[in-house]
Amino acid sequence: MSTVSLPPEIEDLRLRTREFIRGTVMPAEPRPGAVVPEALLEELRAAAKAAGVFAPHAPREYGGQGVPLAYWSPIFQEAGYSLIGPSALNCMAPDEGNMHMLHLIGSEEQKRRYLAPLVSGKARSCFGMTEPHPGAGSDPAALRSSAAKVDGGWLINGEKRFTSGANNATFCIAMVRTDAVDGAPAGATMLLVDMDTTGVRIGEQLHTMDRAIGGGHPHVHFEDVFVPDAAVLGAPGEGFRYAQVRLGPARLTHCMRWLGLARRSLDIALDRTNRREIFGSVMNELGLAQEMIAQSVIDIETSDAIITKTAALLETDAKAGSALSSVAKAHTSEAVYRVIDRSLQLCGGDGVTDRLPLASYLNEVRAFRIYDGSNETHKWAIARRASAGRRREAERGAPDLADVSRPASDAGTPAEAKA
């Protein structure tokens, strides 16, 4: 991973995280495909706190390590080397993204009530955005859940689905549609809702191919749920703008964690090919195996580079960083799958058994091409931004490089063509 020019304190944390994951977390991993018991997770979190590697992304004043966003990737990749590493370090989705957003836009009281327990591991959270069709999914403009202004607060009605982590959550950040009120524009509003509030109900459980996110992906119903005015996160009507504060970094941290898992998958394959003999040769000397290994290294390194660039940009230009995070998400989610798939192939029949974790890894990472916005949606947005950017350059006087109506100039013509 890219560790060039890391500040000494960040490199120290990375190395200590690496040691903790490989020396403490990996020996405690459950059988491939199984969910880690909550009691074991609590033991690992206590050990992570004692080792000084807990909540690396969170502010120091709330018990985290205070790592700037630009340096999250090396740490998160080390955590992601184990499927349960991010949970042990309390930098897993959706809590990590909610911590980041609460830190940036939450009031002091909201930080005390929600952020501090979340960073310490005493609370869990979920983010209520996705809805049953025809509600919001990849298109947030289709949001149907709503909140009406009432005396002293808001009354929420609606249904969410794929509410990751909701089964274990103590509170939800619910995205709802609101009308213009008290000078605030109509639009989306984020509301902090305690899960034990009257009218909040966990509904149908969705059984998905991934298992790493504790707390499931259930439906959550809001039936005349009252929350006070103090529950508004940020300002009413500004929810879509605030969502970018969360979604850009959150989709990027998924890339970081999964890239760590891709590195481990390749290491498994390399250990296999370095000692496995077939057709009279060690596998790592065979051209077909070398091609697969090389392509995996290329996928890992290009993913690492775009993640590093995006993380730095998010700190200096949030809008541009959020746009680039779509590129990082689409590329990395597909690259990581390819790496794990090749690694499984290199391990042959053992790769599809639970004697190795690669088959379970494929199940985990396949869903990422849909989560945080489907890759097709991201590619649509990437293409639109590219086209719009080039149009703006043309409006500022850039030449039309595809214009074939003008005769070709002799300038630059090869000498033999002129002869």
Side-chain angles (χ1 to χ4, degrees):
M1 69 191 67
S2 178
T3 59
V4 177
S5 301
L6 285 181
E9 66 275 13
I10 302 297
E11 175 64 1
D12 174 68
L13 178 59
R14 184 188 72 82
L15 293 174
R16 287 189 289 111
T17 301
R18 179 186 179 94
E19 180 181 0
F20 180 77
I21 292 296
R22 301 185 188 212
T24 301
V25 175
M26 287 173 59
E29 290 175 336
R31 191 177 186 87
V35 177
V36 60
E38 197 64 30
L40 174 58
L41 189 56
E42 288 304 314
E43 291 180 13
L44 292 174
R45 288 181 168 179
K49 289 179 181 179
V53 296
F54 190 75
H57 60 293
R60 289 185 181 277
E61 61 265 33
Y62 295 102
Q65 306 304 315
V67 176
L69 195 158
Y71 299 122
W72 286 2
S73 186
I75 311 300
F76 277 50
Q77 287 186 53
E78 296 291 358
Y81 201 78
S82 167
L83 264 182
I84 65 173
S87 293
L89 268 61
N90 202 22
C91 61
M92 68 294 184
D95 290 343
E96 163 265 313
N98 290 341
M99 291 181 213
H100 184 61
M101 186 165 61
L102 280 164
H103 179 232
L104 292 180
I105 63 176
S107 68
E108 290 305 312
E109 174 58 22
Q110 289 169 343
K111 292 176 183 178
R112 182 196 67 78
R113 182 172 177 179
Y114 295 104
L115 177 59
L118 199 57
V119 173
S120 70
K122 295 178 181 178
R124 297 293 305 277
S125 66
C126 57
F127 187 73
M129 166 65 92
T130 305
E131 299 172 335
H133 184 77
S138 290
D139 180 7
L143 190 67
R144 293 171 68 88
S145 300
S146 64
K149 187 73 180 74
V150 296
D151 187 30
W154 301 81
L155 203 62
I156 308 171
N157 281 283
E159 179 182 358
K160 302 293 184 180
R161 72 188 290 269
F162 249 101
T163 316
S164 301
N167 291 328
N168 297 338
T170 51
F171 70 92
C172 174
I173 301 177
M175 179 80 87
V176 296
R177 187 169 293 283
T178 53
D179 294 330
V181 60
D182 297 335
T189 299
M190 289 188 185
L191 296 170
L192 289 157
V193 186
D194 293 328
M195 293 297 285
D196 60 359
T197 303
T198 301
V200 177
R201 177 170 60 88
I202 299 289
E204 179 185 356
Q205 299 289 328
L206 299 180
H207 300 286
T208 62
M209 63 196 301
D210 62 303
R211 296 287 185 271
I213 295 178
H217 307 281
H219 287 239
V220 177
H221 299 264
F222 298 91
E223 300 160 344
D224 290 331
V225 175
F226 174 81
V227 294
D229 287 324
V232 175
L233 182 57
E238 300 290 344
F240 287 138
R241 181 167 65 87
Y242 293 138
Q244 297 310 309
V245 172
R246 181 188 190 282
L247 295 177
R251 68 174 68 106
L252 193 65
T253 52
H254 269 311
C255 295
M256 299 171 186
R257 290 183 290 258
W258 290 139
L259 189 56
L261 200 67
R263 291 182 184 278
R264 180 170 175 185
S265 300
L266 181 57
D267 284 348
I268 292 171
L270 290 171
D271 286 346
R272 173 85 169 197
T273 58
N274 282 344
R275 61 177 171 79
R276 176 78 166 170
E277 292 188 12
I278 186 170
F279 302 122
S281 298
V282 179
M283 280 186 70
N284 64 12
E285 297 175 353
L286 298 176
L288 286 173
Q290 290 174 342
E291 169 69 11
M292 296 171 76
I293 292 167
Q295 290 294 347
S296 292
V297 172
I298 291 167
D299 274 337
I300 288 172
E301 293 303 324
T302 54
S303 297
D304 193 21
I306 189 65
I307 290 169
T308 300
K309 179 178 179 179
T310 305
L313 189 58
L314 278 166
E315 289 207 314
T316 58
D317 186 339
K319 183 177 180 180
S322 182
L324 192 58
S325 73
S326 287
V327 178
K329 190 269 184 184
H331 174 78
T332 304
S333 61
E334 295 174 5
V336 162
Y337 187 88
R338 290 192 297 265
V339 171
I340 298 175
D341 187 60
R342 292 189 200 104
S343 298
L344 186 152
Q345 191 74 14
L346 286 165
C347 290
D350 289 333
V352 299
T353 72
D354 62 2
R355 298 301 296 273
L356 292 174
L358 295 168
S360 68
Y361 290 176
L362 272 184
N363 282 340
E364 294 295 334
V365 304
R366 176 59 182 85
F368 185 34
R369 283 153 61 186
I370 295 172
Y371 294 170
D372 279 336
S374 68
N375 282 11
E376 291 71 25
T377 301
H378 283 291
K379 290 174 182 179
W380 169 77
I382 291 165
R384 283 171 58 89
R385 282 192 292 264
S387 296
R390 184 58 181 169
R391 281 196 302 271
R392 288 192 295 270
E393 289 180 356
E395 290 167 0
R396 293 194 294 267
D400 183 351
L401 302 180
D403 185 2
V404 297
S405 63
R406 296 177 300 165
S409 168
D410 282 345
T413 304
E416 60 269 22
K418 294 179 181 179

